[in-house]
Amino acid sequence: MLTINFSQIKNNREPITSLKQEVQVRPEFLERSKDLVYEVKNVLVTGQLFYNSPYVTGDFQVKTKLVVPSSRSLAPVDFEQDFHFTENYTEDEVSKEKLDESEIPIVKVDDDKIDLQTAIEDNILLNIPITILTPEEEKENVYPEGDGWSVISEEAFDKSKKERVNPAFAKLKTLFDENNNGENKDK
């Protein structure tokens, strides 16, 4: 588990502490994220930490390779992540107002330990896009089907919606047609 001592960064003679480390995700992370991530490989975190009273600020870059479910078929998809995140760490209690005002997340540390492991794992999940497709789904616009159902594109849905006739109007149309036929017979 990757942790750093808050007081070590706070009291460091150097203004910036650099970090470059490979990280193994924990089994409990894989268990809690099993519907979002099938596999996590080669997690590399680089970054800097510095003290700016009352916070230790961490600025990190994470690169990793994932296997995630397709958002369309749940088939496994290889996906590479390369993202950046910044967090402030503090020993003090933080008010809700301060949390809401801050553009950078503020995390309270316990027992002088900055838990980078959890921060990295959480940010891996936060940086998975909503839509991920297999190469075939992307190339051929393939949608899943089942017994009596199928997924259609938004375009196909909009088109069918325009072509669909409201049943109330369909009845009115038949009444209109009947009236026209009746008038034609009278002539």
Side-chain angles (χ1 to χ4, degrees):
M1 184 154 136
L2 180 57
T3 61
I4 294 179
N5 289 5
F6 182 89
S7 57
Q8 181 182 355
I9 304 299
K10 180 179 177 180
N11 300 322
N12 196 342
R13 292 178 189 251
E14 297 296 319
I16 295 178
T17 302
S18 294
L19 168 76
K20 182 175 185 175
Q21 185 161 345
E22 287 191 22
V23 178
Q24 295 293 321
V25 295
R26 297 172 292 185
E28 54 267 25
F29 166 75
L30 291 173
E31 178 59 32
R32 79 176 162 109
S33 61
K34 65 184 173 202
D35 294 336
L36 301 172
V37 178
Y38 295 151
E39 192 176 343
V40 180
K41 304 177 271 192
N42 306 332
V43 180
L44 177 65
V45 61
T46 56
Q48 297 84 34
L49 295 114
F50 59 92
Y51 183 69
N52 184 16
S53 185
Y55 304 119
V56 166
T57 299
D59 188 56
F60 307 102
Q61 188 72 30
V62 177
K63 293 181 181 185
T64 186
K65 294 179 180 181
L66 308 175
V67 177
V68 295
S70 160
S71 51
R72 198 174 282 170
S73 65
L74 302 180
V77 179
D78 291 329
F79 180 71
E80 290 189 23
Q81 280 186 326
D82 186 352
F83 63 87
H84 170 263
F85 75 97
T86 303
E87 290 186 336
N88 284 325
Y89 304 96
T90 183
E91 296 175 304
D92 305 327
E93 289 297 325
V94 184
S95 69
K96 181 171 177 6
E97 293 81 26
K98 190 77 168 170
L99 288 171
D100 291 342
E101 290 172 8
S102 179
E103 291 182 21
I104 299 173
I106 302 171
V107 179
K108 184 174 182 318
V109 298
D110 295 320
D111 301 323
D112 195 45
K113 300 273 188 233
I114 296 172
D115 181 4
L116 284 181
Q117 182 80 30
T118 300
I120 292 164
E121 291 171 349
D122 288 349
N123 277 281
I124 286 172
L125 292 178
L126 290 171
N127 283 281
I128 296 173
I130 293 172
T131 303
I132 293 183
L133 303 174
T134 65
E136 298 80 28
E137 290 169 339
E138 220 170 276
K139 183 179 173 188
E140 300 172 15
N141 237 355
V142 176
Y143 291 92
E145 295 180 354
D147 189 18
W149 65 271
S150 66
V151 176
I152 60 172
S153 70
E154 197 170 334
E155 287 175 2
F157 176 76
D158 289 342
K159 185 178 178 186
S160 73
K161 197 170 161 183
K162 288 177 185 173
E163 292 172 356
R164 198 175 314 144
V165 177
N166 183 327
F169 291 128
K171 285 184 180 181
L172 286 174
K173 186 175 182 198
T174 60
L175 284 174
F176 182 72
D177 289 343
E178 287 174 8
N179 284 343
N180 281 343
N181 289 339
E183 288 178 12
N184 290 340
K185 287 181 182 177
D186 293 337
K187 290 183 181 180

